[in-house]
Amino acid sequence: MSAFPAFQVIPAVDMQDGEVVQLVQGERGTEKTYGDPVDAARRWLDEGAEALHLVDLDGAFEGRRANGDAIDEVLETVDVPTQLGGGIRTADDAVDLLERGVDRVILGTAAVENPEIVAEISERHPDSVVVSLDAKDGEVVVEGWTEGAGISPVDAAERYEELGAAAILFTNVDVEGQLEGVATEPVRELVAATDIPVIASGGVATLEDVRALEDAGAAAVVVGSALYEGRFSLAEAQAAVSE
């Protein structure tokens, strides 16, 4: 998964208490539930997913992974590349997941608090670390989007590229989960500042949003609520960017 041969539309399987959920702006208490994670993973595979984005939301909020059984079941079920985030706080945590079958680990808070963890994991498993840069009002936020990190996404991306990150996952918290459209300028800025792929996330509501992120230079987009709410199908989104 070190490169994206073509723009990818990656369905999200966000897990909380063993169920698929989608949050509005990452806030607990705003969730809508969408059933069993394995069923969701199978559905996206059946619809042609080329990769899956898995998130342990309990892990993201509490700092320890809490949906391990559901994640293991998904990994046993799917045969496409997976990227997993949420509650990965140490290099050993990350390596354990990579050796259990996850293709890429997504580091957010851990990478902000200890940037060298990116190099440590990458040396053991090259091209395996995606650094998650979640931004609110132009500042990277951590701890489940509750605390500002005092650094801009562009400055952070440049730092992690030097440390060996395989890609940047950029989530615009200002528009996340609201189904009201995307903000492309922050994506363009990141793409211009780094040579590694930028995966965009947050706010996708229409096929035009998917196309706009491709036009902004993103290598892929993670889509959650829009797919679960039936705003468009995965096949429609893939067709929209392959025209």
Side-chain angles (χ1 to χ4, degrees):
M1 285 183 70
S2 60
F4 293 81
F7 186 85
Q8 285 188 352
V9 180
I10 307 176
V13 182
D14 295 356
M15 290 164 263
Q16 182 174 287
D17 296 327
E19 287 194 307
V20 177
V21 304
Q22 288 287 295
L23 306 180
V24 177
Q25 289 189 298
E27 293 183 12
R28 277 181 152 174
T30 64
E31 61 268 6
K32 291 186 71 171
T33 60
Y34 297 96
D36 179 72
V38 174
D39 290 344
R42 286 195 181 116
R43 172 188 171 185
W44 302 131
L45 284 187
D46 289 346
E47 293 190 19
E50 297 170 320
L52 289 177
H53 175 83
L54 312 176
V55 179
D56 184 334
L57 287 170
D58 297 296
F61 284 108
E62 294 161 21
R64 56 185 176 80
R65 288 181 281 122
N67 290 278
D69 290 345
I71 290 162
D72 284 342
E73 284 188 62
V74 170
L75 293 176
E76 289 168 9
T77 300
V78 306
D79 57 359
V80 297
T82 54
Q83 56 187 37
L84 169 68
I88 304 169
R89 293 293 192 262
T90 69
D92 287 342
D93 264 355
V95 170
D96 173 61
L97 289 164
L98 292 165
E99 291 178 348
R100 278 163 54 194
V102 174
D103 293 276
R104 280 182 165 179
V105 290
I106 303 166
L107 302 182
T109 299
V112 171
E113 293 179 346
N114 174 23
E116 292 301 324
I117 193 175
V118 176
E120 186 180 346
I121 298 165
S122 298
E123 283 166 10
R124 295 164 72 177
H125 288 270
D127 296 322
S128 69
V129 178
V130 176
V131 174
S132 175
L133 298 180
D134 305 332
K136 205 170 190 176
D137 298 325
E139 180 185 13
V140 174
V141 289
V142 294
E143 299 293 350
W145 299 344
T146 60
E147 294 181 19
I151 188 171
S152 74
V154 165
D155 288 344
E158 291 171 342
R159 172 200 292 177
Y160 295 118
E161 180 178 8
E162 290 176 5
L163 289 166
I168 297 296
L169 172 67
F170 177 69
T171 301
N172 190 328
V173 180
D174 297 322
V175 297
E176 166 67 21
Q178 299 187 75
L179 289 172
E180 292 179 0
V182 297
T184 56
E185 193 53 38
V187 175
R188 289 184 192 279
E189 290 174 3
L190 275 179
V191 170
T194 178
D195 290 328
I196 56 177
V198 174
I199 305 165
S201 173
V204 173
T206 65
L207 295 175
E208 287 70 29
D209 291 333
V210 175
R211 280 192 285 261
L213 290 169
E214 182 189 31
D215 290 343
V221 60
V222 173
V223 185
S225 297
L227 287 174
Y228 287 101
E229 289 292 314
R231 296 294 182 94
F232 50 79
S233 70
L234 180 57
E236 286 171 334
Q238 290 169 329
V241 292
S242 64
E243 292 167 355

